[in-house]
Amino acid sequence: MIIYINDKACKAEKGDQLLDVAKRNNCHIGYICGGSGICQSCFVYVEEGMEHLSAATSVEKAFISDKLAESGGRLACQTRITGEGQIRVLSRAEHLRRVVVGLNVRDFITYAQTIGYNVTNQLPSGAGNIVDRVREGKLNPVQSLQNIASGIGPAATLAGSTVLDNFAFLQGPASMISGGAKGVFDAASDTLCRISGGQLHLPGATCRTHGGGEPELERVQITAKVVR
């Protein structure tokens, strides 16, 4: 079956964890603790298909507020596919990226308030859940630390490649080596072009879309005034 993570088609099977599906398909969902359920880095929004997923675990209930749960919030390391059907998932990082790139101030404020509320209200229950699992032998602290150590490298690599794919101007150092300062300027203009839907470009720069002879729709003239 096919499910969609950040709008990317991913092969999955009944019984799979969402986090494992993301790993196999090289699709970005954060993971640091290796599925121990102690870091919340694999938090996702289920946009469609909650009925085809397992019920929220005690770990999720401890870490995710009712407000976030109502918005489709789940932990990918705790959520399994229980049936076939349309499933669409959005990672927290992708959700925030879309808010920022879309320059949606209202959604950004709402997002910040919701996350702040979750941290403030769920920290005690989350910490208590970890302690209880350690006492019950359901969570091995040593193994959890080993999972974190083994997960940081791949997670950082995946996050880095995702950032560079979406924000080309961060490829500046590589561009400077291959094309000088103009390469950085062109990369920034390319990002501005994508964000604005082809409407905006930096003066004197090109982008991948309009660098091949296709005329751009509009240019922006930037001037600076020195105040003494």
Side-chain angles (χ1 to χ4, degrees), residues 99 103-113:
V99 170
L103 302 179
N104 194 323
V105 177
R106 178 179 296 179
D107 281 357
F108 181 79
I109 294 175
T110 301
Y111 173 85
Q113 290 175 335

Coordinates of all heavy atoms in Angstrom, one line a residue, residues 99 103-113:
V99 N 4.4 26.9 7.1 CA 4.0 28.1 7.7 C 4.9 29.3 7.4 O 4.5 30.4 7.1 CB 3.8 27.9 9.2 CG1 3.5 29.3 9.9 CG2 2.6 27.0 9.5
L103 N 4.7 32.6 4.8 CA 4.7 33.9 5.4 C 3.3 34.1 6.1 O 2.8 35.2 6.2 CB 4.9 35.1 4.4 CG 6.2 35.0 3.7 CD1 6.3 36.2 2.7 CD2 7.4 35.0 4.6
N104 N 2.8 33.0 6.7 CA 1.5 33.0 7.4 C 1.7 33.4 8.9 O 2.0 32.5 9.7 CB 0.8 31.7 7.2 CG -0.6 31.8 7.6 OD1 -1.0 32.4 8.5 ND2 -1.5 31.0 6.9
V105 N 1.7 34.6 9.2 CA 2.0 35.1 10.6 C 1.0 34.5 11.6 O 1.3 34.1 12.7 CB 2.0 36.6 10.6 CG1 2.2 37.1 12.1 CG2 3.1 37.2 9.7
R106 N -0.3 34.5 11.2 CA -1.4 34.1 12.1 C -1.2 32.6 12.4 O -1.3 32.2 13.6 CB -2.8 34.3 11.5 CG -3.9 33.7 12.3 CD -5.2 34.0 11.7 NE -5.5 35.4 11.5 CZ -6.6 35.9 10.9 NH1 -7.5 35.0 10.5 NH2 -6.8 37.2 10.9
D107 N -0.9 31.8 11.4 CA -0.7 30.3 11.7 C 0.6 30.1 12.5 O 0.7 29.2 13.4 CB -0.5 29.6 10.4 CG -1.9 29.3 9.7 OD1 -2.9 29.7 10.4 OD2 -1.9 28.7 8.6
F108 N 1.6 31.0 12.3 CA 2.9 30.8 13.1 C 2.6 31.1 14.5 O 3.1 30.4 15.4 CB 4.0 31.8 12.5 CG 5.3 31.7 13.3 CD1 6.1 30.6 13.0 CD2 5.6 32.6 14.3 CE1 7.3 30.5 13.7 CE2 6.8 32.5 15.0 CZ 7.7 31.4 14.7
I109 N 1.8 32.2 14.8 CA 1.5 32.5 16.2 C 0.7 31.4 16.9 O 1.0 31.0 18.0 CB 0.7 33.8 16.3 CG1 1.6 35.0 15.8 CG2 0.2 34.1 17.7 CD1 0.9 36.3 15.7
T110 N -0.3 30.9 16.1 CA -1.1 29.8 16.6 C -0.2 28.5 16.9 O -0.4 27.9 17.9 CB -2.2 29.4 15.6 OG1 -3.0 30.5 15.4 CG2 -3.0 28.2 16.2
Y111 N 0.7 28.3 16.0 CA 1.6 27.1 16.1 C 2.5 27.3 17.4 O 2.6 26.4 18.2 CB 2.5 27.0 14.9 CG 3.6 26.0 15.0 CD1 3.4 24.6 14.7 CD2 4.9 26.3 15.4 CE1 4.4 23.7 14.8 CE2 5.9 25.4 15.6 CZ 5.6 24.1 15.2 OH 6.7 23.1 15.4
A112 N 3.1 28.5 17.6 CA 3.9 28.7 18.7 C 3.1 28.6 20.0 O 3.6 28.0 21.0 CB 4.5 30.1 18.6
Q113 N 1.9 29.1 20.0 CA 1.1 29.0 21.2 C 0.7 27.6 21.6 O 0.8 27.2 22.7 CB -0.2 29.9 21.1 CG 0.0 31.4 21.0 CD -1.2 32.1 20.7 OE1 -2.2 31.6 20.1 NE2 -1.3 33.4 21.1

